[in-house]
Amino acid sequence: MIPGKYRSVSGRATNNVNCGLHLVIQTSSLPEKNKVEFKLHKETPSFPGRLLQHDLERNYSSRQGDHINLVSSSMPSFPILQRSSEEKILYSDRLTLERQKLTVCPIIDGEEHLRLLNFQHNFITRIQNISNLQRLIFLDLYDNQIEEISGLSTLRSLRVLLLGKNRIKKISNLENLKSLDVLDLHGNQISKIENVSHLCDLRVLNLARNLLSHVDNLNGLDSLTELNLRHNQITFVRDVDNLPCLQRLFLSFNNISTFESVCCLADSTSLSDITFDGNPIAQESWYKHTILQNMMQLRQLDMKRITEEERRMASVIAKKEEEKKRESQKQSLLKEKKRLTINNVARKWDLQQHRVTSIAANQDRKDSDSPSQDPCQVDGSTISAFPEETGSLDSALSNALQGLSVTDTHLVEVDGDTLSLYGSGALESLDRNWSVQTAGMVTTVSFTFIEFDEIVQVLPKLKIKFPNSLHLKFKETNLVMLQQFNALAQLRRIDQLTIDPQGNPVVSFTLWKYYVLFRLSHFSMQKINGTEVTQNDMIMAERLFGILAHVASSELPQYRLISILGDARKKQFRYLLETKGKKPGVVSEENNDSKRLVGENTNRATLNYTTRDFYNEKLEEIKEKKKFCKMYIEDLVKEATEINMKNEALQKLWPQMFIELVRDAVIEIRNKSSYMKLCLQQITDQK
Amino acid sequence: MATERAGTWLPEAGKLELGSCCGPRMLSPERLALTDYEYLAQRHVLTYMEDAVCQLLENKEDISQYGIARFFTEYFNSVCQGTHILFREFSFIQATPHNRASFLRAFWRCFRTVGKNGDLLTMKEYHCLLQLLCPDFPLELTQKAARIVLMDDAMDCLMSFSDFLFAFQIQFYYSEFLESVAAIYQDLLSGKNPNTVIVPTSSSGQHRQRPALGEASMLEGVEASLFYQCLENLCDRHKYSCPPPALVKEVLSNVQRLTFYGFLVALSKHHGINQALGALPDKGDLMHDPAMDEELERL
């Protein structure tokens, strides 16, 4: 008789496929209809799915296994299966041969109505001898030793094919199984998804615990609802958006580390359930909200329902990340631009320094923004393609890196408390209107690739615009003479000085630090090139150069002192000099006073630095005066020599002249009467 | 202070404190034989007059405030003391022997402490120190001085203060003289005897033949006596200052042959020449300057 309905196995057990598949097999009352319905619903996959097997066993094997006789046939390898006719009538459509220690598929005779065939837990290596069972709907070969899918080409009605826990290396030979509904290949050695595109009725595909490294080739599976890919080595997933019905995708325990490798999931509208646990991506801080943000259609993630709150959070975080990324991109772009500009400035600087002969040629180009003729400065042309940034000075992000002015000839940068200037063009930026806040925060000023002589000229501006600058740094500024340090004395205050050896030959001198300490003693500097200034250093500096200061102040004639010091100091110095004649003790006090008043040790004040150009200019100016002086003195000398000559001539002639005078007088007086007449006449003539 | 140290110029004194040649008395016949202009030029009076007037022009606003007479007093006082060359341009410093000697003295006084400290410095650093006193001091002079110390070898070597100072003295004070000496030396090396060409002197010069001189040049340097003869002639006709010929003879009499730099080194180390110059103290006393120490203590 027709067997009654077999109810499903209840309980929370999972089957061996480990996807929460709960197989319910019911036969209808009309065997010829061959309608077998399968209901599939989820279970938690946490149990290794052997329990259902036991249940299945309970269902069939315990009832049937005892009645099976395996008779050895005439053919040596294949046993022949025979069932008692009772059995055949009772269970005409199902046959269970599990745990029969079978190594080959037996020949099954006279069972052409068979619809369910169970070969679980045997040692079968090849699927054979079942081609005649053309009504077969359910074939279970779980836990065997099958190495290749074969021998199924006649089973056109097959709906459920369970080949889990075998040794299959390749998906193949499924061409005729167009009605396949469930394909279970878990626990095999499959490394590639292929030859499944024709399975348009397939709803469940289980490829867990295989050797898949990527997922693609999924087109054609138009009915696929569930795809289990747990415990593989998958690094990226493609083509999932070609599965119109896919609702559940299990990717737990694979090797997915970025969202980009599974980005096709975002395009799948049908997906509602996905798992990523056990992948590297799940450890990332951005994992949850990235997934949620990109897959709005999801209802469950890692077997947990997604709440509205979570979604909201995810979108908020995602927005923030986007902003951050944009910001950092901007920053890196800026940095790159800066780097290129600095390189450009450095190259120009090198040209200036080394290739002196081509200075004339480069002079015109130095100030222009066009790339120079030097072929290695091809970068210059690409830089000019960048739009010139006129950054805001007072943006809200005043603490962040600000590239204020970036062209390809110079760079000005304010970074919190440091103002960095690259290239001589940058010095012009000191003329700008700096906000009090920005300028007040600057405590360090760094000069690179600028001639020191040029820096000297803008020091007064620096003093005014950046009053809090305490630390000066010089790199590649051509500091060659100790005298140049004299120019720094005009600043208000310096706490630290850093002179980078690169491009500053003065650092190679033994005495440079002491000279700096000596000349700038009124600043009481604390650090030079990173090392603290000790009392000993100060004493040594005084000892070495103190005499110079003394000579410079006390031994110069007053007019020279005044001309060197200039108008501003005249009065103060004159006052000091007048008091100098008094007790020496007073003098030193006065000096101290002046230190406080003027801010500088006046006996050093005469040690100035004029840039070479200025100096030469001055000498040029003096030339005219010198010429005039020379002529003037020559005239004086001529006059003097003439007078001298006349004097000498007079000396020589005088005796003779004297004698003549006397002779004339005597001759006159010889005749008294005529002399008296002569005198009287002279007197009357006078009237 | 300034007035205390003024070396007042008294005609009877004859000799200025610094830098003058051994001066004859005022009414000696050689002196009176010169014309007015020549006499003034020899004493470099005009240089100082011109410079004084130039300085006056430069600073007329300031000077007019306290009087021209006072200006001239101060100016010539400073000339006497040797402080007039401080921070002046190189062309002025080089102009007269007195200026040069004053500059050397000033350099010594200012940087004696560097020497005392025992630091050995490179030529460039010494040049820097020189530039502190004279902003446009030329590098070539310092280089030449360094060459003397280092015997034209390894120009980046470190030098001690005293070595450099004495070599610099010779180079700077007698720079024109040394140029001529170098030319003579080259001539002698290459076999030409300037004596035979230009000035007929002792017969020994004429008897020398080319091959013999060629022999001589294969050995290092030149023969001392021949060299001396040439130098003697040079001293006689040279209008720039020269070291006293007697001392030069002393230097050359000690050796048979010598190289150019050997000669210069010997000059720089010779006490007599140093004293004749009068700018620097003896080597042994180089680190001591009691007058300066006194002054500093007073402050």
Side-chain angles (χ1 to χ4, degrees):
Chain A
M1 285 301 286
I2 301 159
K5 275 195 184 169
Y6 282 83
R7 257 179 263 108
S8 67
V9 177
S10 62
R12 287 169 40 78
T14 58
N15 71 354
N16 55 325
V17 303
N18 212 19
C19 67
L21 175 65
H22 187 173
L23 205 52
V24 172
I25 304 165
Q26 281 180 336
T27 61
S28 67
S29 45
L30 300 166
E32 52 269 29
K33 265 209 183 160
N34 241 4
K35 197 163 97 182
V36 180
E37 291 161 14
F38 299 105
K39 283 208 198 122
L40 308 166
H41 45 92
K42 320 191 276 267
E43 302 281 353
T44 53
S46 39
F47 306 113
R50 300 298 301 281
L51 292 172
L52 185 55
Q53 251 346 87
H54 288 129
D55 293 358
L56 283 174
E57 278 175 47
R58 259 190 277 126
N59 257 342
Y60 329 117
S61 59
S62 53
R63 297 179 203 184
Q64 294 186 13
D66 300 339
H67 303 291
I68 297 197
N69 296 328
L70 289 168
V71 177
S72 50
S73 66
S74 49
M75 295 172 59
S77 43
F78 298 118
I80 299 182
L81 183 72
Q82 278 176 5
R83 285 205 291 184
S84 62
S85 41
E86 221 176 63
E87 282 283 327
K88 273 199 209 172
I89 294 166
L90 258 181
Y91 310 107
S92 59
D93 64 347
R94 60 199 67 205
L95 177 58
T96 307
L97 290 169
E98 59 174 280
R99 296 184 201 279
Q100 297 299 316
K101 301 201 178 64
L102 296 168
T103 53
V104 291
C105 290
I107 299 176
I108 303 170
D109 247 347
E111 301 272 10
E112 274 71 25
H113 295 296
L114 217 53
R115 292 200 289 179
L116 285 82
L117 181 53
N118 183 348
F119 275 122
Q120 285 186 38
H121 303 299
N122 281 294
F123 303 98
I124 298 170
T125 52
R126 281 188 67 185
I127 309 171
Q128 295 163 311
N129 299 324
I130 53 171
S131 340
N132 49 334
L133 307 170
Q134 296 188 7
R135 299 258 177 94
L136 210 57
I137 294 174
F138 180 101
L139 176 59
D140 187 352
L141 285 158
Y142 171 75
D143 190 18
N144 276 285
Q145 293 171 3
I146 298 169
E147 288 171 12
E148 194 196 343
I149 306 174
S150 59
L152 301 171
S153 38
T154 55
L155 308 174
R156 288 176 214 279
S157 321
L158 199 65
R159 301 264 188 95
V160 176
L161 178 56
L162 307 179
L163 283 168
K165 207 166 171 204
N166 277 286
R167 297 183 192 167
I168 298 168
K169 296 194 175 42
K170 190 173 153 141
I171 309 174
S172 56
N173 295 327
L174 298 171
E175 284 84 37
N176 293 340
L177 306 175
K178 290 211 171 45
S179 323
L180 210 58
D181 195 27
V182 173
L183 176 57
D184 179 8
L185 289 165
H186 82 277
N188 279 291
Q189 297 160 9
I190 297 167
S191 54
K192 195 170 167 202
I193 303 176
E194 54 190 339
N195 299 323
V196 296
S197 333
H198 57 285
L199 303 171
C200 38
D201 283 340
L202 193 70
R203 281 188 297 156
V204 175
L205 176 57
N206 184 352
L207 286 165
R209 295 193 191 273
N210 274 287
L211 300 176
L212 294 170
S213 57
H214 57 273
V215 175
D216 50 13
N217 250 339
L218 290 175
N219 37 317
L221 298 169
D222 295 334
S223 311
L224 195 67
T225 315
E226 178 173 320
L227 179 56
N228 184 349
L229 296 166
R230 291 192 178 92
H231 291 284
N232 276 287
Q233 299 155 8
I234 295 170
T235 48
F236 67 86
V237 173
R238 276 211 281 261
D239 294 346
V240 170
D241 41 343
N242 290 334
L243 303 170
C245 298
L246 189 70
Q247 288 171 17
R248 291 179 290 279
L249 177 60
F250 305 115
L251 286 164
S252 314
F253 299 101
N254 275 290
N255 210 3
I256 296 169
S257 43
T258 64
F259 187 75
E260 283 67 43
S261 45
V262 298
C263 59
C264 63
L265 299 177
D267 299 327
S268 163
T269 46
S270 51
L271 263 180
S272 65
D273 196 345
I274 207 168
T275 64
F276 281 109
D277 52 299
N279 280 286
I281 197 179
Q283 306 300 322
E284 299 280 1
S285 54
W286 42 261
Y287 161 62
K288 195 155 181 198
H289 66 258
T290 308
I291 302 284
L292 290 182
Q293 187 64 10
N294 285 294
M295 301 183 62
M296 303 293 286
Q297 69 278 40
L298 270 188
R299 292 217 212 101
Q300 276 203 143
L301 176 63
D302 292 336
M303 307 316 276
K304 281 177 273 190
R305 172 146 263 140
I306 301 170
T307 62
E308 271 311 306
E309 180 65 25
E310 283 174 330
R311 265 193 239 277
R312 204 175 49 78
M313 281 295 297
S315 77
V316 166
I317 295 175
K319 271 203 200 90
K320 270 204 211 143
E321 295 245 307
E322 185 64 34
E323 239 183 71
K324 242 198 272 178
K325 215 197 282 186
R326 252 182 285 142
E327 188 64 33
S328 75
Q329 259 178 2
K330 218 170 58 171
Q331 296 298 344
S332 58
L333 191 67
L334 215 59
K335 260 199 195 149
E336 184 60 23
K337 238 167 110 175
K338 259 187 230 144
R339 194 183 64 80
L340 286 170
T341 306
I342 291 177
N343 278 350
N344 203 10
V345 175
R347 253 200 297 269
K348 279 209 160 73
W349 175 259
D350 279 340
L351 272 176
Q352 257 178 286
Q353 298 305 308
H354 303 311
R355 295 212 244 143
V356 186
T357 48
S358 55
I359 262 186
N362 282 334
Q363 201 73 19
D364 323 6
R365 306 218 187 236
K366 205 168 55 150
D367 296 330
S368 72
D369 283 359
S370 62
S372 96
Q373 60 196 7
D374 184 9
C376 76
Q377 280 186 321
V378 166
D379 286 358
S381 55
T382 57
I383 291 174
S384 52
F386 279 75
E388 207 191 278
E389 269 192 37
T390 50
S392 59
L393 301 173
D394 275 315
S395 67
L397 307 166
S398 58
N399 291 332
L401 209 63
Q402 286 185 36
L404 292 175
S405 164
V406 178
T407 70
D408 57 344
T409 54
H410 65 264
L411 174 62
V412 178
E413 186 186 325
V414 173
D415 178 12
D417 65 350
T418 305
L419 169 67
S420 307
L421 302 164
Y422 298 85
S424 54
L427 295 176
E428 290 163 2
S429 69
L430 291 173
D431 288 327
R432 273 195 233 165
N433 286 329
W434 296 86
S435 79
V436 176
Q437 193 193 23
T438 320
M441 272 180 57
V442 168
T443 58
T444 305
V445 182
S446 148
F447 300 93
T448 318
F449 302 121
I450 312 175
E451 289 275 359
F452 188 78
D453 288 357
E454 289 176 30
I455 299 175
V456 165
Q457 291 165 38
V458 301
L459 283 178
K461 273 188 229 163
L462 188 71
K463 191 164 133 182
I464 296 172
K465 297 259 173 157
F466 293 95
N468 292 337
S469 53
L470 296 173
H471 180 183
L472 295 184
K473 293 165 91 161
F474 297 92
K475 182 173 165 176
E476 291 280 5
T477 52
N478 237 359
L479 268 169
V480 291
M481 303 194 281
L482 293 175
Q483 219 193 355
Q484 287 173 305
F485 288 119
N486 294 346
L488 295 177
Q490 61 183 288
L491 292 172
R492 193 167 296 164
R493 205 181 143 204
I494 301 179
D495 266 353
Q496 267 196 65
L497 194 60
T498 304
I499 315 282
D500 197 310
Q502 192 181 341
N504 290 318
V506 84
V507 177
S508 59
F509 292 156
T510 323
L511 301 175
W512 77 274
K513 276 193 194 170
Y514 296 120
Y515 186 75
V516 170
L517 287 173
F518 154 74
R519 183 64 186 86
L520 305 176
S521 60
H522 57 288
F523 290 148
S524 308
M525 281 206 281
Q526 288 169 3
K527 274 198 190 175
I528 295 187
N529 274 16
T531 41
E532 293 264 340
V533 170
T534 63
Q535 189 71 359
N536 283 342
D537 290 336
M538 295 298 294
I539 293 175
M540 178 64 93
E542 280 302 316
R543 196 196 304 166
L544 283 173
F545 295 106
I547 298 182
L548 180 64
H550 171 72
V551 164
S553 59
S554 59
E555 299 198 355
L556 280 178
Q558 194 174 349
Y559 72 90
R560 290 226 41 226
L561 280 169
I562 289 168
S563 71
I564 291 177
L565 290 176
D567 290 28
R569 297 233 154 81
K570 268 190 219 173
K571 298 197 181 86
Q572 284 160 340
F573 207 84
R574 219 175 278 161
Y575 167 71
L576 284 172
L577 284 179
E578 276 156 21
T579 57
K580 229 181 192 178
K582 300 178 189 166
K583 279 198 300 187
V586 179
V587 175
S588 52
E589 262 178 48
E590 304 283 47
N591 262 341
N592 283 337
D593 278 347
S594 76
K595 242 191 251 184
R596 271 179 261 129
L597 290 170
V598 180
E600 184 180 345
N601 216 345
T602 24
N603 73 346
R604 265 142 245 224
T606 50
L607 298 172
N608 278 347
Y609 174 65
T610 34
T611 58
R612 177 126 305 177
D613 299 332
F614 272 14
Y615 195 77
N616 293 339
E617 253 177 58
K618 238 178 33 175
L619 290 182
E620 281 291 319
E621 283 169 14
I622 297 179
K623 267 193 196 162
E624 276 294 315
K625 293 204 179 109
K626 278 198 177 157
K627 248 197 312 191
F628 166 76
C629 291
K630 198 170 166 87
M631 271 178 17
Y632 177 69
I633 297 288
E634 271 176 21
D635 287 342
L636 283 181
V637 168
K638 241 190 272 179
E639 238 182 87
T641 46
E642 272 175 24
I643 294 174
N644 193 31
M645 256 179 13
K646 287 183 193 164
N647 211 4
E648 282 184 11
L650 183 63
Q651 294 274 10
K652 280 198 201 125
L653 294 173
W654 179 247
Q656 187 65 24
M657 280 166 69
F658 186 72
I659 291 173
E660 280 178 20
L661 275 174
V662 172
R663 193 189 61 194
D664 287 342
V666 167
I667 289 173
E668 249 180 28
I669 304 177
R670 203 191 290 171
N671 193 348
K672 266 192 187 166
S673 53
S674 56
Y675 184 61
M676 278 195 307
K677 273 191 202 155
L678 192 63
C679 284
L680 277 171
Q681 197 169 11
Q682 276 179 0
I683 292 171
T684 46
D685 284 344
Q686 263 179 19
K687 286 203 182 127
Chain B
M1 234 182 332
T3 46
E4 285 171 55
R5 299 200 42 193
T8 39
W9 168 247
L10 301 167
E12 298 82 59
K15 189 165 146 175
L16 270 178
E17 215 178 13
L18 299 167
S20 57
C21 307
C22 305
R25 299 302 240 147
M26 199 167 173
L27 299 169
S28 64
E30 296 101 24
R31 220 152 146 253
L32 295 175
L34 295 170
T35 64
D36 306 321
Y37 203 79
E38 277 175 24
Y39 170 73
L40 289 175
Q42 194 189 52
R43 284 292 187 276
H44 305 286
V45 172
L46 296 180
T47 316
Y48 293 112
M49 286 301 300
E50 281 167 22
D51 188 60
V53 175
C54 200
Q55 293 272 303
L56 185 61
L57 278 180
E58 281 281 293
N59 304 300
K60 52 183 176 204
E61 304 91 18
D62 306 317
I63 293 171
S64 55
Q65 287 186 25
Y66 59 87
I68 296 183
R70 189 165 156 197
F71 163 73
F72 275 106
T73 319
E74 275 187 12
Y75 181 85
F76 283 103
N77 268 335
S78 84
V79 171
C80 281
Q81 285 165 36
T83 58
H84 58 300
I85 37 77
L86 289 172
F87 312 119
R88 294 296 305 270
E89 63 277 8
F90 178 69
S91 51
F92 178 67
I93 293 180
Q94 202 194 30
T96 72
H98 170 65
N99 283 5
R100 295 186 193 186
S102 309
F103 183 74
L104 289 168
R105 192 172 174 82
F107 182 71
W108 166 66
R109 288 171 79 226
C110 284
F111 297 114
R112 154 180 76 94
T113 41
V114 172
K116 202 163 172 187
N117 207 34
D119 288 308
L120 297 178
L121 308 178
T122 59
M123 181 267 300
K124 284 220 169 91
E125 197 158 359
Y126 282 119
H127 184 66
C128 245
L129 295 179
L130 284 166
Q131 278 182 316
L132 284 175
L133 291 177
C134 169
D136 59 346
F137 203 88
L139 186 62
E140 302 86 53
L141 265 181
T142 325
Q143 275 175 340
K144 285 185 189 164
R147 254 188 231 129
I148 298 176
V149 177
L150 303 168
M151 299 288 268
D152 204 17
D153 187 28
M155 291 299 288
D156 284 334
C157 257
L158 303 170
M159 301 178 275
S160 74
F161 183 70
S162 58
D163 284 345
F164 176 75
L165 187 57
F166 286 114
F168 180 69
Q169 175 179 244
I170 296 293
Q171 175 61 53
F172 182 47
Y173 194 80
Y174 296 125
S175 31
E176 296 84 359
F177 174 72
L178 287 191
E179 269 174 40
S180 314
V181 170
I184 291 176
Y185 183 79
Q186 284 304 317
D187 287 344
L188 284 181
L189 262 190
S190 61
K192 289 192 294 175
N193 191 335
N195 283 345
T196 55
V197 174
I198 302 168
V199 182
T201 55
S202 59
S203 52
S204 56
Q206 282 168 339
H207 286 315
R208 286 194 200 281
Q209 313 218 337
R210 281 222 159 218
L213 279 175
E215 236 173 66
S217 62
M218 272 169 37
L219 303 167
E220 199 182 86
V222 297
E223 207 184 321
S225 46
L226 182 60
F227 194 48
Y228 176 66
Q229 278 167 22
C230 307
L231 289 186
E232 203 179 10
N233 293 321
L234 186 63
C235 285
D236 286 338
R237 51 187 168 88
H238 215 286
K239 52 187 169 107
Y240 296 107
S241 50
C242 305
L247 296 174
V248 175
K249 183 163 188 177
E250 226 181 279
V251 170
L252 290 173
S253 59
N254 293 336
V255 290
Q256 261 294 95
R257 315 188 58 82
L258 76 176
T259 60
F260 180 60
Y261 283 107
F263 174 58
L264 294 182
V265 170
L267 275 184
S268 72
K269 297 204 185 218
H270 196 274
H271 292 307
I273 293 183
N274 183 33
Q275 277 172 354
L277 241 168
L280 302 173
D282 285 338
K283 184 161 179 178
D285 296 329
L286 197 62
M287 302 305 174
H288 301 111
D289 187 3
M292 176 62 82
D293 291 337
E294 251 181 68
E295 266 181 53
L296 289 175
E297 260 172 63
R298 266 193 266 149
L299 292 176

